[in-house]
Amino acid sequence: MWQLFVVVLMTLVYYGAQEWLCRVRLPALWTLFILVPIAITPYWFKVNCFDLFAWIKTYSILFCVCWGGWLRFTAMGDKPWLRRSIAWLLLANILEALILDIQGSGIAHNLNALAGLLLVVTVPLSVRHTRIDRDSRHQTLRYDAPLAWICGYSLWNWTFVYLNYPELTGHHTAVLSAALIVACIDPQRWVQARAATLGMNLLLMATSHSGTLAVSNATTWFDESIAIAAASIAFAWMTVHAWSKLKTNPAIARRTISRLQLRGWTSRIVDTHKLAGLHSPLQRFTLTTKSRVARRFSYLYTPRHLGKPGC
């Protein structure tokens, strides 16, 4: 019960922090996320023994916060090709974690990796989904992602942390919850809130890792059955979301098929010899599923849905 209270309190703190960060001007933002990290980087490397992923994530998120601020407070944010970079940076951050999940072993890692893959193929990448609200007082960065996708991302990311960094589950529950509260109020502000809350968390963690764990160490929370259940929920959620997007938007269907390279999966009959040679039930399930997906979406290759070549 005490740990739950701590998580709720941290959620409120992170929510307040992102509200403050969305109001500060560019000099203050860059001081906090560029000058301060540069100044204390030697100290970070001295006191921390992070793995490669943690270091990459820390500096990539700090860069994302600064890049977003640069677009918000300068004329660069009015250039469509630069605004598109917000979606690509989000995609890159998902892929960073997805690679780590793919390297993991077990049902939970595999299911969560599949959920991450569905996030990747359904992330809104069009430039029309990102804009700078020049009419707002604080030059808000707006990214038009569906609330269902944001919820799926939160489920996937929570499961990722629970599987790979269980001691930090409490902190990231608060970080994700704070951004999710913003999304429930205004989904278009989510990506800005997500970067701000995670950036603050990583600054604190790199500066005092032992201190953050002293506030909340959730190592004892880990249970394999909970991990499998969480990964299953994330995968099921993203499957339903991806299915709804494919059914309602042929353009997304074409893009999804291109990304997954389903052109190599279009056989209507599973190769029984290949299937018999697979000893892992998960591998057999994956091959069968690929065949079923290809068969179900084979109609997308017809001119009636794809239109003329090049369209």
Side-chain angles (χ1 to χ4, degrees):
M1 183 60 70
W2 169 251
Q3 282 290 327
L4 180 60
F5 173 77
V6 171
V7 170
V8 172
L9 184 60
M10 287 193 298
T11 300
L12 296 176
V13 171
Y14 281 117
Y15 179 81
Q18 67 82 27
E19 286 292 322
W20 173 73
L21 282 174
C22 80
R23 288 167 169 76
V24 300
R25 306 298 293 181
L26 190 59
L29 197 67
W30 278 12
T31 297
L32 182 60
F33 289 100
I34 294 182
L35 297 182
V36 171
I38 290 175
I40 61 179
T41 284
Y43 172 76
W44 285 356
F45 279 93
K46 181 179 179 180
V47 301
N48 295 310
C49 297
F50 295 161
D51 57 21
L52 180 62
F53 171 80
W55 286 120
I56 292 175
K57 178 62 68 175
T58 298
Y59 285 100
S60 64
I61 291 298
L62 296 180
F63 170 79
C64 288
V65 175
C66 296
W67 181 265
W70 182 57
L71 295 183
R72 287 171 57 202
F73 294 110
T74 69
M76 296 297 102
D78 298 326
K79 299 182 181 297
W81 65 277
L82 283 175
R83 291 202 311 274
R84 186 191 291 269
S85 64
I86 296 298
W88 284 103
L89 287 172
L90 175 61
L91 181 63
N93 276 275
I94 296 173
L95 288 172
E96 288 173 359
L98 180 58
I99 292 171
L100 191 62
D101 248 345
I102 291 174
Q103 293 174 343
S105 59
I107 295 175
H109 279 283
N110 291 327
L111 288 173
N112 207 50
L114 289 172
L117 181 62
L118 290 173
L119 279 168
V120 167
V121 299
T122 55
V123 61
L125 290 176
S126 173
V127 67
R128 63 183 176 84
H129 288 96
T130 307
R131 66 184 179 90
I132 309 299
D133 188 356
R134 296 303 184 192
D135 295 328
S136 67
R137 180 181 177 184
H138 306 295
Q139 307 293 295
T140 303
L141 171 63
R142 294 193 171 276
Y143 178 68
D144 190 14
L147 184 58
W149 187 92
I150 294 171
C151 291
Y153 172 93
S154 301
L155 289 168
W156 163 81
N157 196 266
W158 186 91
T159 306
F160 169 81
V161 174
Y162 188 75
L163 286 169
N164 296 282
Y165 303 95
E167 70 278 7
L168 298 173
T169 302
H171 284 277
H172 282 272
T173 300
V175 170
L176 289 166
S177 297
L180 197 55
I181 292 172
V182 174
C184 290
I185 299 171
D186 184 355
Q188 292 187 0
R189 285 184 54 212
W190 172 80
V191 75
Q192 180 176 296
R194 169 61 179 158
T197 53
L198 184 56
M200 289 294 295
N201 174 258
L202 293 174
L203 274 177
L204 294 172
M205 185 183 71
T207 304
S208 180
H209 187 252
S210 59
T212 56
L213 290 182
V215 174
S216 176
N217 188 334
T219 304
T220 58
W221 292 12
F222 187 82
D223 183 272
E224 186 65 26
S225 60
I226 296 177
I228 294 174
S232 299
I233 293 172
F235 176 56
W237 184 286
M238 286 310 304
T239 299
V240 172
H241 176 67
W243 175 265
S244 65
K245 299 298 287 185
L246 290 172
K247 293 290 285 184
T248 59
N249 195 326
I252 293 180
R254 292 195 298 271
R255 188 183 72 188
T256 301
I257 287 178
S258 176
R259 291 185 193 178
L260 290 177
Q261 298 181 340
L262 284 176
R263 294 183 187 278
W265 299 0
T266 54
S267 174
R268 290 176 176 270
I269 301 175
V270 177
D271 187 337
T272 55
H273 296 287
K274 184 175 181 181
L275 189 62
L278 298 176
H279 301 290
S280 168
L282 182 60
Q283 289 178 325
R284 294 169 65 88
F285 169 77
T286 301
L287 180 60
T288 306
T289 301
K290 286 180 178 180
S291 179
R292 289 175 178 172
V293 169
R295 183 167 61 251
R296 177 64 185 84
F297 290 108
S298 61
Y299 71 91
L300 291 169
Y301 290 96
T302 63
R304 179 167 55 90
H305 289 272
L306 292 181
K308 296 180 181 179
C311 292

